[in-house]
C-alpha cells in the first residue's frame, strides 16, 4: 500500500476531491468550485502518475503509455459529449483541437525541458519508433482535415458532402489506429522493462489507484469545466480561447503532470509514450469517434475546421515529427514547442 | 525459354491479348471488351513482372526499377495524349494525378503489406536512398504546383502568366529528373546484385518479353480505357472519379502486380524501386513532358490544379517520405497509405 | 600578415572599395557605380571568406559560422531599414524573403554542387545536427507566417490584430533563437577543430580583417543597392523582382562566396554552417527584430505576406530539411534547390 507518506498524501487528495464534489453539487460560488477542483485535479494527476510508474515496471512503456493516455483522455471525451448535447459545436471542436495542441506542443515541450534537465549532456534521448509512428498517424488525420478545408474553401461539389466524407474518414482513421495499436501493444512484449527501483505501490494497488484515479479525474474535470463557464463570462474570454487553452490544459492535467514527473525521473521513454499516445489517441480515435457519436445528437461534428486551426494542426504534426522523430531533443526544441502553443493561444484569444 | 509451365502460361496470355484486340476492333459490347482486356492486362503484368525479375538478377534494382516503371508508365502517356487531343483536360489531369496517387498510396500500401507479411518480424526493410530521393523529387513538383495554386487562388499578377510559369517549371523539373536519373543509374554499377536462384528466363528472352509485354500493355490499356467510357456513362460516374480511380488503377496494373509479386518474394528493394521510380517518373518527367507536348494541341495542360488535389499531392509527398524515408515499413503504415487513397477516391467520387 | 600575394590582393580590393565609395558620393552614373561596387563586394567577400577560414582553425565550425553569418547579414539589415524609413514596404519584405530564398536555395544549392565535386564518391557529407536545428527553427517562423496568412485570407476576427500577433510572434521567435544560439555556441567548445594546414592569416589579423571586411561589405552593399534602383527603372523590372533576386544576391554575396569557397576546399561542415546560420538568423532574428524596430517608423512591418511567398517559404523549409537533414547531399539535390530558386524568381518577375 506504499509508504506512510504516500498514504497521507492519498488521504489529502481524497479529501480535496470530495470537497470539489461537494462544492459542485452544493452550488458553491463558481470561483471556489474552480479552485478546489483545480487542486483536486492536480492531486489526482499525481496519483495516476505515481501508479502508472509502478505499473510501468511490470509492462513496457508501450502498454503503460496507452493505459495512461486512455485514462487521461476520459475528461476530454466527457467534456465534448456534454458540449455537443448542449449544441455548443465551437466549444466541442476547440476542446478537441486544444487537447491536441496542449499535449503535442505545451506538454511535450515541458517534458523535453524536464528530460533535458535530467540528462547529463543536455540531450533528452528516447526511442525513435513511437514518435515516428505518431508522425505517420497525425499525417493521416491532417490529410482528411486539410482536404476538407480546401474543398470547403473552394466551394467545390465535394464540399456539399462534408458530413459523408467526415463519416467515411472517421471510420478509416479508427481502423488504422486500431491496426496500429494492436501491433504496438504486441511489440511491447518483446522489450524488457528493467524493474530497477522498488519504491512504489504493489501491482494490484497500482492498478486500483489507476482505475479510481482515472474515473475520479473524469468527474473532477467535469466539475472544473462547468465551474469555468461562469468564470469565462466574468473575464470576457471567447469560447475559442476557453476550448483551446482552459479546457485543454485542465482536461490534460493528468498527462501533463505524469509526463513531466516521469521525464524528471529520467524515464524518457515512458514520458514520451504518455504524451505521444495521448496525441494520436485524440486525433485518430477520440475525434473520429465523436464525429460518429455526434450523429446521435442534433448537433453534428465534422472534420471541417477554421483555416487557422487547420494550418496550426498541419504544422504541429510536422514540427512534432521534425523535433522528436530522431529520438533526441534539445532544450531549445522544448522552448520552441511551447512558443508554438503560445502562438495558437494568442490566435484563439483574438478569435 | 523458361519451363514448360511458363510457356503454357505465356501462350494463354497471348491468346487473351489477341482476344482483347479482336473485341476492340470488332466493336464488341463495351462490357465484354472491358472484361477481356482487363484479364489481358493482368496477364501482361505477370509477364513483365516475371521478366523484370530475371533481368534484375543481371542489373541492380536501380536499372531494373527504372526500366520497369518506364514500361509501366507507357499506358498513362498514351491515355493522356489521346484525352488532350480530344480536348478532355479534366480526364487528362486526373489521369496523371490518379497515377501518382494509385502508385504512391494504393500500390505502395499493398507492397508494404506484402513485404511485411513476407518478413520474419513484421517489418519490411529496404534501402533508404531511393525513398529519400523520391521525397526530394516530389517536393520539387509540389513546390511549383502549390505556388501556382496559391497564385491563381489569390488572383495575383503572376497568375495571368500560368502557362509561361508552367512551361519554365516543366523544363526545370525534367532537367533535375534527368540529372537525378543519370546519377541513380551510375550508382547501380557499384551494387552487387547477388544472382541467387536461377528459376527464370535467360537474359535475352527476358529482355524480349519485357519489350513485347510493355508495348502490348500500352495497346491493351488503350482498349481497356476506351471500353471504360461507355461503362462510366452507364454507371453515372464523374470524369474525376474515372481519372483518379479507374484509369489510374488500370493504367498502373503492371507496376501494381510487379511490385506486389516482388514484395511477396521478399525482394523489398526491387519492389520499392519499381513503385518509387514510377511515382517520380510520372511527377517529374511524364507530367512536365505532357505540359510541353500539349503546346502542340489546341488544349493546353498546365500545373494549375484544383485545391483539393493540390493538398492531396502535397501531403502524399510528405506521408510517403515520412513512412518510407527511414527504410522500414510496418503493416499499419501500409493500411494508412491505402486509407489515404480511399479518401482521395471519395473526394473524386463527390466532385 | 599573410603571404606577399595575399597582401597584393588585399591592396587591390581596398582600392576597388575606395573607388566604389568615390563613385557613390561623387554621383557617378549609376551603371558605373553598380559595376565598381559589385567588384568591391566580391573582393570583400573573398577577404571575409579567407579570414573566416583562419579563424575557423581556432574555433569550431559553430562559432565561425555564427560570426560569419552575422557579418554577412549586416547588409540586409541596413537595406531593409533604409527601405522602411522610405516607406517602401514591398522592397523591405521581399528583400528579407529574398535573402532567405537566396541563402537557403541558391547558395545552399551551389555549396552542395561544390561539395559534391570535391568529394571522392559524389556525396557531400556533413554533420546532421545543424541542418536539423535549422529545420526546427524555420518551422517555427513558418508556423506564425502561415497562421497569419490563413487568418488574413479567411478574414477571421484574429486577422484584425495582425500587428499585435506579429509583435508577440517576433518576441517569441527571437527568444527561441537566442536560447538555441547559446546552446549551439556552448556545444562548439567540445568539438576539436583540427587545425590542419597553416596557410592563412594569424589570429589577430584574421579577426581584424573579418571586422573591417564585414563593415565595409555593409557600406558597399548600400552603395550597390542605391545604384540598383535607377538601373531597375531603366530595365522595367518590378520591386518584387528587385527584392527577391537582385538585392538578395547582392546582399548575400559574402555568404555566397564564403560558402562556396569553403565547400570547394572540402570544409563541408564550415560551409554548411555559414549558409544555415545565415538562413536561421534572417528568419528567426533579423526579420522579427525588423518587425519590432519598424514600430519606430511610420511604416510598420508584419509577418503578413503574399500567399505565393508563404507557400514558397513553407516548402523551402521542408525541402531544406528533407535534403540536408540526413547529413548527405547529392548533385541532383543541389540542382533541385537551384531550380526552386529559379521558380521563385520567375514568380517574382511576373508579380
Amino acid at each position: 500500500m506504499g509508504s506512510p507518506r504516500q498514504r497521507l498524501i492519498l488521504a489529502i487528495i481524497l479529501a480535496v476531491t470530495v470537497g470539489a464534489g461537494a462544492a459542485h453539487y452544493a452550488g458553491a460560488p463558481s470561483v471556489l468550485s474552480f479552485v478546489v477542483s483545480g487542486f483536486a485535479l492536480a492531486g489526482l494527476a499525481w496519483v495516476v502518475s505515481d501508479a502508472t510508474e509502478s505499473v510501468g515496471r511490470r509492462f513496457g512503456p508501450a502498454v503503460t503509455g496507452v493505459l495512461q493516455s486512455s485514462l487521461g483522455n476520459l475528461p476530454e471525451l466527457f467534456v465534448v459529449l456534454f458540449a455537443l448535447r448542449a449544441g455548443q459545436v465551437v466549444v466541442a471542436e476547440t476542446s478537441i483541437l486544444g487537447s491536441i495542441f496542449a499535449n503535442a506542443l505545451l506538454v511535450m515541450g515541458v517534458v523535453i525541458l524536464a528530460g533535458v534537465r535530467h540528462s547529463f549532456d543536455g540531450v533528452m534521448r528516447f526511442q525513435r519508433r513511437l514518435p515516428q509512428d505518431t508522425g505517420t498517424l497525425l499525417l493521416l488525420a491532417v490529410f482528411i482535415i486539410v482536404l476538407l478545408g480546401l474543398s470547403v474553401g473552394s466551394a467545390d461539389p465535394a464540399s456539399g458532402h462534408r458530413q459523408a466524407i467526415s463519416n467515411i474518414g472517421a471510420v478509416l482513421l479508427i481502423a488504422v489506429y486500431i491496426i496500429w495499436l494492436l501491433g504496438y501493444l504486441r511489440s511491447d512484449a518483446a522489450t524488457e522493462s528493467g524493474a530497477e527501483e522498488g519504491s512504489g505501490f504493489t501491482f494490484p494497488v497500482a492498478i486500483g489507484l489507476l482505475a479510481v484515479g482515472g474515473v475520479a479525474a473524469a468527474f473532477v474535470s467535469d466539475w472544473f469545466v462547468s465551474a469555468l463557464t461562469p468564470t469565462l463570462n466574468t473575464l470576457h474570454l471567447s469560447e475559442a480561447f476557453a476550448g483551446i487553452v482552459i479546457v485543454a490544459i485542465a482536461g490534460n492535467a493528468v498527462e501533463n503532470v505524469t509526463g513531466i514527473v516521469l521525464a524528471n525521473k529520467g524515464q524518457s521513454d515512458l514520458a514520451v509514450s504518455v504524451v505521444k499516445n495521448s496525441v494520436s489517441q485524440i486525433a485518430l480515435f477520440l475525434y473520429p469517434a465523436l464525429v460518429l457519436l455526434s450523429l446521435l445528437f442534433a448537433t453534428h461534428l465534422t472534420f471541417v475546421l477554421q483555416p487557422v486551426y487547420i494550418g496550426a494542426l498541419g504544422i504541429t504534426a510536422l514540427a512534432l515529427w521534425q523535433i522528436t522523430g530522431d529520438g533526441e531533443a534539445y532544450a531549445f526544441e522544448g522552448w520552441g514547442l511551447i512558443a508554438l502553443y503560445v502562438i495558437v493561444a494568442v490566435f484563439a484569444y483574438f478569435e
Side-chain angles (χ1 to χ4, degrees), chain A residues 238-316:
Chain A
S238 67
E239 284 187 329
F241 188 77
I244 294 283
V245 178
I246 301 182
V247 175
I249 292 181
N252 292 288
V254 176
E255 293 95 313
N256 211 320
V257 174
T258 311
I260 296 161
V261 167
L262 290 169
N264 250 329
K265 294 184 181 170
Q267 302 197 291
S268 298
D269 280 318
L270 203 47
V272 170
S273 172
V274 168
V275 180
K276 291 280 179 178
N277 274 301
S278 188
V279 171
S280 52
Q281 195 178 68
I282 298 168
L284 276 283
F285 186 79
L286 192 75
Y287 191 3
L290 285 163
V291 166
L292 297 176
L293 280 173
S294 79
L295 298 172
L296 305 172
F297 297 116
T299 310
H300 293 180
L301 192 69
T302 67
F303 288 120
V304 178
L305 299 171
Q306 268 196 56
V308 166
Y309 300 132
I310 298 175
L313 200 63
I315 308 183
T316 293

Side-chain angles (χ1 to χ4, degrees), chain A residues 105-348:
Chain A
L105 300 176
L106 182 63
V107 181
M108 192 70 224
V110 177
V111 163
I112 288 176
L113 292 183
V116 165
R117 201 156 300 163
H118 186 274
S119 76
F120 67 99
D121 63 347
V123 187
M124 182 189 191
R125 288 189 183 76
F126 41 85
Q127 290 179 29
R128 294 171 62 246
R129 188 78 219 104
L130 183 60
Q132 288 286 347
D133 283 6
T134 311
T136 306
L137 292 170
L138 282 182
L139 275 180
L140 301 187
V142 165
F143 192 83
I144 295 176
I145 290 168
V146 167
L147 261 58
L148 261 180
L150 291 169
S151 175
V152 169
S154 62
D156 66 5
S159 66
H161 302 269
R162 59 187 79 178
Q163 184 70 51
I165 293 172
S166 293
N167 296 346
I168 296 170
V171 171
L172 290 170
L173 288 183
I174 291 175
V176 174
Y177 179 73
I178 289 176
I179 292 170
W180 169 77
L181 189 62
L182 294 177
Y184 178 66
L185 293 178
R186 210 176 298 131
S187 76
D188 212 26
T191 63
E192 349 156 22
S193 53
E196 291 166 27
E197 325 135 63
S199 70
F201 305 108
T202 63
F203 185 69
V205 172
I207 286 287
L209 282 175
L210 269 183
V212 172
V215 173
F219 275 91
V220 177
S221 293
D222 188 26
W223 306 334
F224 184 74
V225 169
S226 69
L228 272 180
T229 318
T231 313
L232 267 186
N233 292 334
T234 316
L235 299 173
H236 302 292
L237 291 170
S238 67
E239 284 187 329
F241 188 77
I244 294 283
V245 178
I246 301 182
V247 175
I249 292 181
N252 292 288
V254 176
E255 293 95 313
N256 211 320
V257 174
T258 311
I260 296 161
V261 167
L262 290 169
N264 250 329
K265 294 184 181 170
Q267 302 197 291
S268 298
D269 280 318
L270 203 47
V272 170
S273 172
V274 168
V275 180
K276 291 280 179 178
N277 274 301
S278 188
V279 171
S280 52
Q281 195 178 68
I282 298 168
L284 276 283
F285 186 79
L286 192 75
Y287 191 3
L290 285 163
V291 166
L292 297 176
L293 280 173
S294 79
L295 298 172
L296 305 172
F297 297 116
T299 310
H300 293 180
L301 192 69
T302 67
F303 288 120
V304 178
L305 299 171
Q306 268 196 56
V308 166
Y309 300 132
I310 298 175
L313 200 63
I315 308 183
T316 293
L318 292 177
L320 205 59
W321 161 30
Q322 212 278 329
I323 287 176
T324 62
D326 58 355
E328 294 186 347
Y330 294 76
F332 90 94
E333 296 179 318
W335 288 113
L337 289 174
I338 294 169
L340 293 186
Y341 182 72
V342 173
I343 291 165
V344 174
V346 167
F347 273 95

